[in-house]
Amino acid sequence: MSLSEVLAGIQQAAADAGRPAEQVRLVAVSKGQSPEAIRQKILAHGSFPLAENRGQELRDKKIELPGAEWHFIGPLQANKIKYLRDVTLIHTVEELWQAQAVATAAEKWGQAPATLLQVHNGEAQKHGVAPEKLAELLQQVRATGLDVRGLMVMAPYGQPEAAQQLFEATARRAHDLGLAELSMGMSDDYPLAIAAGATLVRVGRSLFT
C-alpha cells in the first residue's frame, strides 16, 4: 500500500461517515524508517506530520529532515523529554509529572508542544490514564500551562468490535470534556476510527510496505 492509497482510504472512510475528508489528518508513523525512505515515501508527495516513539531517533531524524512537523507517540520518560524540543504535538501524556516535566523543559526551549491525553484501552500492559480520571488529569495538565487539544487511544489489535466500541467511547469522552482532537486509528483500524470521529489517524506500516 502507498501513501496515495492510504489517503484514498481516509477520504472514503470520511465519506462513508458523512464527514468532510478535511476533518481527518494523516500522521505518518516514521519510527524505524530511514530518512531517505521517509523522503521518498512521504515528504516527496506532500506535507504530513511525522510521528516517532523514541526520543533519540526523533532527535537524529530532525537533523536529517529539516522543516518537517514532528509528533511524539511513545511513552514519555523523564530522561527522554529533552529530545522533544520542536515537537508540535505529544500524543501520550498519561500522568501529571510528565506534563510538569514537559512544561519545565518548554520554559528553556521558549516554546511548548501541544498535548493529548492518552486513554487506557483496558489492556493491562498498555499505557494510558483510566477514563474516570481524565477530567482530573485534564485540569492538572492545563494548570501547568500546556495546551491540551484532545485524547489519544490505541485499540486492541485484531478486535474490530472492541476497537469500534473503544473509539466511540473515547469520542464521547472528548466531547464531554470539550476537546476537539481525537488521535485514533492505525493501519488496520483507521476506517473505524474515522467513523467514530477521529481527527488524527496514525498510519505507519501501510505507508512503507
Side-chain angles (χ1 to χ4, degrees), residues 109-201:
W109 300 337
Q111 59 188 12
T115 62
L116 305 176
L117 304 183
Q118 181 172 354
V119 185
H120 194 269
N121 71 356
E123 295 181 292
Q125 73 275 25
K126 297 296 185 182
H127 288 268
V129 59
E132 63 271 18
K133 296 182 178 180
L134 274 171
E136 179 184 7
L137 182 62
L138 174 61
Q139 183 178 17
Q140 292 173 333
V141 174
R142 282 180 167 163
T144 70
L146 295 181
D147 178 16
V148 182
R149 299 272 178 87
L151 304 179
M152 184 274 251
V153 75
M154 295 180 65
Y157 180 73
Q159 302 179 49
E161 291 185 7
Q164 182 177 3
Q165 293 174 2
L166 180 64
F167 292 150
E168 291 173 352
T170 303
R172 288 193 298 270
R173 293 180 179 114
H175 177 269
D176 292 345
L177 293 169
L179 297 170
E181 292 281 17
L182 278 168
S183 173
M184 308 190 303
M186 299 170 67
S187 292
D188 295 312
D189 55 24
Y190 70 80
L192 294 175
I194 291 171
T199 61
L200 300 166
V201 292

Side-chain angles (χ1 to χ4, degrees), residues 30-36 38-39 43 48-72 80-90 105 109 111-113:
S30 53
K31 63 181 184 180
Q33 302 295 331
S34 69
E36 185 57 33
I38 296 168
R39 288 191 198 95
L43 299 180
F48 301 93
L50 306 174
E52 294 287 334
N53 69 340
R54 292 178 177 158
Q56 295 100 317
E57 189 172 349
L58 189 152
R59 174 201 60 194
D60 296 342
K61 286 180 178 175
K62 282 195 305 180
I63 298 171
E64 299 256 8
L65 300 167
E69 176 184 345
W70 294 96
H71 290 197
F72 187 73
K80 303 298 174 62
I81 287 173
K82 61 189 175 186
Y83 300 126
L84 305 187
R85 181 172 184 159
D86 302 323
V87 166
T88 299
L89 183 65
I90 296 173
W109 300 337
Q111 59 188 12

Side-chain angles (χ1 to χ4, degrees), residues 2-59:
S2 65
L3 173 64
S4 61
E5 291 173 307
V6 171
L7 292 175
I10 290 172
Q11 290 180 335
Q12 186 61 57
D16 291 345
R19 301 177 59 197
E22 294 75 20
Q23 290 183 353
V24 186
R25 193 177 188 199
L26 170 65
V27 178
V29 178
S30 53
K31 63 181 184 180
Q33 302 295 331
S34 69
E36 185 57 33
I38 296 168
R39 288 191 198 95
Q40 291 181 356
K41 299 282 190 175
I42 308 298
L43 299 180
H45 307 283
S47 178
F48 301 93
L50 306 174
E52 294 287 334
N53 69 340
R54 292 178 177 158
Q56 295 100 317
E57 189 172 349
L58 189 152
R59 174 201 60 194

